Amino acid sequence: MMRKLEQLIPSIVVICLPFLISLYLDVTPYSKTIESQWQSFDLYKNTNQTEKWIEIAHTILRQQPWHANLWIRLAEKQIQNGNLEDAVHSFKVADSISALTVDQTFLLGQVYWDVNQLENAYATWQTINNHKDLRAEDLPALIQIQQSKNDWFGAYQTLLKWKEIDPENKDLVLPLAFSQIIFEPEAALTTITSSTNRKIQSLLPEIEMIIQEENPVYQMVLSGNLLASIGEWNYASAAYAYATRLDPEYAEGWALYGNALINSGKDGISALNKALSISPKSIITRAFLASYWRTQNDFERSLEMYQELSSDEPGEAIWQQELGNTYILAGNVDKALQAFIKTTKIEPGNSYYWINLARFCGEYKVEIQEIGLPAARQALLIDENNWEAYDTLGWLFLILEDYTSAERFLTSAYKAAPESALVNLHLGQLFYFRNKTQLSTYFLKRTIEFAENDALIQLANKFLSP
């Protein structure tokens, strides 16, 4: 009997062991400590004692590390407290227990970015494309953050994923085409050809030229130039950035990159200075820098650079043109007039500079009869079909209150360019001053219809107002 009892003891111990352990844990000080730590979260979750909360979380996780949600909460508190490296660790532990959600992956990528682990940030955001819970509505935010962090290729991959998920989405056409112009111009042809969007239909010949370019650096430059030409400065800056990566010593690439950044509202002066350090005599770099300093109201520095460019290239009227524009902003109308006159002497056969001189005279009421009218007439002699010359002549006569002559030239301008907002505005003003209300209203409304800038719309509305 004793022998049988001895044989049963091990089995009884095995069966009762879990119960004994649980009983022990329930009554030990350690168990009570963990329980109290969990309870204390409620005391600190709505207070500013973040460090105390973090300390409590660490205490629990040292003994119960399987709580993925607590690791996530800890990471969020660590971010709040500025402990970004610790937050990365917490996110990674949580991810090893249970995959992060899309939003949590977004946040992890941002933390990587904030601790200057850029490649890890890019890679983390890219994994969202393969997340099991990915939704189409998550993708615009992902694209936005990738582009804002200059991960343009990653954003392109996300656009392709979006196209895969939602192939009929018309909102994809433009961003996809612009990205393809940079990374896959051949694919851009297909996207644009299958689109009815007028904005990009006209780009096909230039894209063909990009495809034919064999030099990858210059191919990127051509892509950037095309995107810049339609005002897509963010995409243009991406193309130029890749050009500088392919050839870090390409001064013009850095200059184009800096200028694109400035036009997209970002800081491009570092890139421009980089270009100047590589090639101090670069024409395009100095031109962009002169323009930059003008936007910063540093007219002295801007004028100095334009004057140097004019001395280096005395046969180029554009530098006198830029000098004139800068003198205007600096408040020196007399010097601006002399600069614009010089443009017509350098390129006397170019109607553009004659029209610009005439318009300057009208805008600033300077020598209209002596210089402005003859300049506009000279533009017509050079190009008798130039509607801008007709419009300028008519506008100058309007300023001089010679309404008969104004109507004659403005009517000619209208016949050549009936959808010109500027011509319609001048006709609207003419008939306003001649008290022909119906005609004035007609042309002013057409101005608003065709205008592409707010200034013309505001001016038209001013004359429409009773």
Side-chain angles (χ1 to χ4, degrees):
M1 182 68 176
M2 290 295 293
R3 187 174 184 84
K4 289 183 179 181
L5 185 58
E6 290 175 356
Q7 291 174 345
L8 287 173
I9 287 174
S11 299
I12 293 171
V13 170
V14 171
I15 293 170
C16 296
L17 184 60
F19 172 76
L20 294 171
I21 291 174
S22 63
L23 182 63
Y24 171 77
L25 290 177
D26 280 343
V27 299
T28 59
Y30 162 75
S31 171
K32 296 300 183 183
T33 300
I34 292 296
E35 182 181 346
S36 66
Q37 295 293 340
W38 277 106
Q39 292 173 348
S40 66
F41 273 130
D42 292 333
L43 298 176
Y44 293 100
K45 66 180 181 180
N46 295 321
T47 70
N48 294 325
Q49 298 186 49
T50 305
E51 291 186 5
K52 183 64 177 177
W53 191 101
I54 291 172
E55 180 184 336
I56 295 170
H58 276 304
T59 300
I60 294 173
L61 290 170
R62 275 195 294 270
Q63 303 302 326
Q64 299 180 2
W66 55 83
H67 292 287
N69 287 338
L70 183 54
W71 282 108
I72 294 296
R73 293 172 65 190
L74 175 59
E76 293 169 349
K77 287 289 186 180
Q78 288 166 328
I79 293 171
Q80 180 182 336
N81 207 42
N83 307 332
L84 301 185
E85 295 281 2
D86 293 338
V88 168
H89 172 74
S90 297
F91 273 126
K92 291 170 70 174
V93 174
D95 190 42
S96 68
I97 300 168
S98 178
L100 299 179
T101 66
V102 171
D103 289 342
Q104 290 162 359
T105 307
F106 268 118
L107 187 54
L108 174 57
Q110 184 61 53
V111 177
Y112 272 130
W113 182 269
D114 291 339
V115 297
N116 206 33
Q117 295 185 34
L118 306 190
E119 293 304 320
N120 283 334
Y122 294 147
T124 299
W125 287 319
Q126 195 64 50
T127 63
I128 294 175
N129 281 330
N130 300 315
H131 200 285
K132 64 182 179 63
D133 297 325
L134 179 68
R135 302 167 303 169
E137 51 263 39
D138 293 322
L139 295 174
L142 177 56
I143 292 167
Q144 193 278 328
I145 197 169
Q146 287 173 314
Q147 291 183 344
S148 70
K149 305 302 186 184
N150 295 320
D151 184 13
W152 290 90
F153 184 73
Y156 175 45
Q157 298 305 303
T158 303
L159 282 164
L160 292 175
K161 182 69 175 181
W162 194 0
K163 180 72 172 176
E164 177 187 322
I165 295 174
D166 190 6
E168 301 303 319
N169 192 324
K170 294 183 179 180
D171 292 337
L172 280 169
V173 175
L174 286 179
L176 183 60
F178 296 152
S179 294
Q180 287 172 330
I181 287 171
I182 301 171
F183 300 110
E184 284 188 283
E186 295 89 348
L189 289 178
T190 303
T191 299
I192 293 173
T193 302
S194 61
S195 169
T196 57
N197 190 297
R198 293 183 179 181
K199 181 174 183 178
I200 56 177
Q201 284 289 341
S202 62
L203 306 182
L204 291 172
E206 287 81 359
I207 295 173
E208 292 280 7
M209 293 178 60
I210 293 170
I211 294 171
Q212 294 169 10
E213 176 56 49
E214 296 181 357
N215 185 320
V217 176
Y218 196 55
Q219 188 179 62
M220 282 294 179
V221 169
L222 289 178
S223 296
N225 291 347
L226 177 56
L227 292 161
S229 71
I230 58 173
E232 292 295 335
W233 288 105
N234 280 318
Y235 286 95
S237 68
Y240 295 138
Y242 281 100
T244 63
R245 292 183 194 180
L246 292 169
D247 185 359
E249 296 303 311
Y250 181 36
E252 281 69 24
W254 284 104
L256 290 164
Y257 179 42
N259 184 61
L261 287 173
I262 291 169
N263 278 283
S264 59
K266 300 172 185 173
D267 183 9
I269 188 61
S270 296
L272 290 177
N273 286 333
K274 172 76 172 179
L276 192 66
S277 68
I278 295 171
S279 179
K281 289 295 183 180
S282 168
I283 295 294
I284 190 172
T285 301
R286 288 187 288 161
F288 286 149
L289 275 168
S291 176
Y292 170 77
W293 292 122
R294 183 168 63 196
T295 63
Q296 301 302 303
N297 295 326
D298 191 340
F299 302 124
E300 184 177 351
R301 190 181 302 192
S302 178
L303 287 168
E304 181 181 352
M305 298 193 80
Y306 280 130
Q307 286 163 350
E308 289 177 358
L309 288 164
S310 180
S311 297
D312 292 345
E313 295 188 329
E316 296 292 335
I318 185 62
W319 306 129
Q320 288 297 326
Q321 173 86 357
E322 295 298 342
L323 276 169
N325 291 336
T326 310
Y327 279 127
I328 290 173
L329 293 174
N332 196 328
V333 174
D334 290 338
K335 285 193 174 181
L337 175 63
Q338 295 308 312
F340 292 138
I341 290 173
K342 285 183 181 178
T343 65
T344 63
K345 293 180 179 179
I346 295 171
E347 293 192 38
N350 191 330
S351 62
Y352 167 81
Y353 292 113
W354 289 103
I355 291 172
N356 183 72
L357 173 59
R359 285 181 172 170
F360 169 80
C361 291
E363 185 71 28
Y364 291 91
K365 309 296 188 294
V366 175
E367 307 285 356
I368 294 177
Q369 290 183 320
E370 294 80 2
I371 297 176
L373 287 173
R377 289 194 177 99
Q378 183 62 32
L380 270 182
L381 287 175
I382 295 169
D383 182 2
E384 62 181 10
N385 296 316
N386 192 320
W387 68 265
E388 290 182 281
Y390 281 109
D391 175 68
T392 303
L393 263 173
W395 174 59
L396 291 177
F397 279 121
L398 178 60
I399 293 172
L400 294 171
E401 299 183 8
D402 183 347
Y403 297 141
T404 301
S405 297
E407 184 172 353
R408 177 160 59 93
F409 287 108
L410 289 175
T411 300
S412 296
Y414 181 78
K415 289 178 180 178
E419 295 186 358
S420 165
L422 194 60
V423 173
N424 280 278
L425 175 66
H426 291 156
L427 280 167
Q429 291 172 322
L430 169 67
F431 292 120
Y432 176 87
F433 290 122
R434 299 187 73 174
N435 296 316
K436 296 183 178 182
T437 306
Q438 189 172 356
L439 278 173
S440 175
T441 300
Y442 172 78
F443 286 110
L444 290 171
K445 287 184 175 180
R446 283 176 61 83
T447 300
I448 295 170
E449 178 184 355
F450 298 120
E452 295 183 357
N453 66 71
D454 292 338
L456 288 181
I457 294 173
Q458 290 174 4
L459 192 52
N461 278 323
K462 180 181 178 181
F463 279 88
L464 282 170
S465 300

